Amino acid sequence: MKRKNSQMIGEVLRDIFEENTEMYEKILEIRIKRAWGEVLGDMVLQYTRNMYIKDKVLYVSLTSSVLRNELTLCREKLVKSLNEYARANVVQDIVIR
């Protein structure tokens, strides 16, 4: 007779992440970095040099001043799109350098 697992995978993962919040935050950061390329495309990705998250702020270094200005103008929309992609409220603001 096969034994059924009474706990769903989602519940197991939730338990793991509740105990390891740092690991969950790292996974969300990875989602945001992946989202940057998916949401903005390869063209923007090729001008992106560095990206990190600190205190819910995404810091992005770009090599193109024109692109930097364009993206700065639509920061709020970018925050919304990136968080939607990550399916979590990871970023509250973006600093583009």
Side-chain angles (χ1 to χ4, degrees), residues 2-15:
K2 290 184 179 179
R3 184 175 174 196
K4 289 187 178 181
N5 187 352
S6 61
Q7 195 173 18
M8 301 291 288
I9 291 175
E11 292 173 3
V12 172
L13 290 174
R14 191 172 18 262
D15 291 345

Side-chain angles (χ1 to χ4, degrees), residues 54-69:
K54 183 177 180 183
D55 299 326
K56 291 201 171 243
V57 177
L58 175 63
Y59 294 87
V60 181
S61 297
L62 299 173
T63 58
S64 168
S65 60
V66 174
L67 182 58
R68 186 174 333 147
N69 289 335

Side-chain angles (χ1 to χ4, degrees), residues 15-30:
D15 291 345
I16 290 170
F17 291 143
E18 283 177 2
E19 294 174 13
N20 299 294
T21 55
E22 289 178 11
M23 181 173 63
Y24 183 63
E25 289 172 4
K26 289 296 179 189
I27 289 171
L28 292 176
E29 284 184 28
I30 291 167

Side-chain angles (χ1 to χ4, degrees), residues 23-81:
M23 181 173 63
Y24 183 63
E25 289 172 4
K26 289 296 179 189
I27 289 171
L28 292 176
E29 284 184 28
I30 291 167
R31 283 186 187 170
I32 289 295
K33 289 178 180 181
R34 186 178 304 141
W36 184 260
E38 292 291 322
V39 170
L40 296 167
D42 290 337
M43 194 275 299
V44 172
L45 201 54
Q46 76 183 15
Y47 291 104
T48 304
R49 290 295 164 240
N50 190 22
M51 183 183 334
Y52 65 93
I53 298 173
K54 183 177 180 183
D55 299 326
K56 291 201 171 243
V57 177
L58 175 63
Y59 294 87
V60 181
S61 297
L62 299 173
T63 58
S64 168
S65 60
V66 174
L67 182 58
R68 186 174 333 147
N69 289 335
E70 290 293 320
L71 293 179
T72 300
L73 293 174
C74 59
R75 277 192 346 237
E76 288 179 27
K77 185 178 178 183
L78 279 174
V79 168
K80 183 179 178 192
S81 296

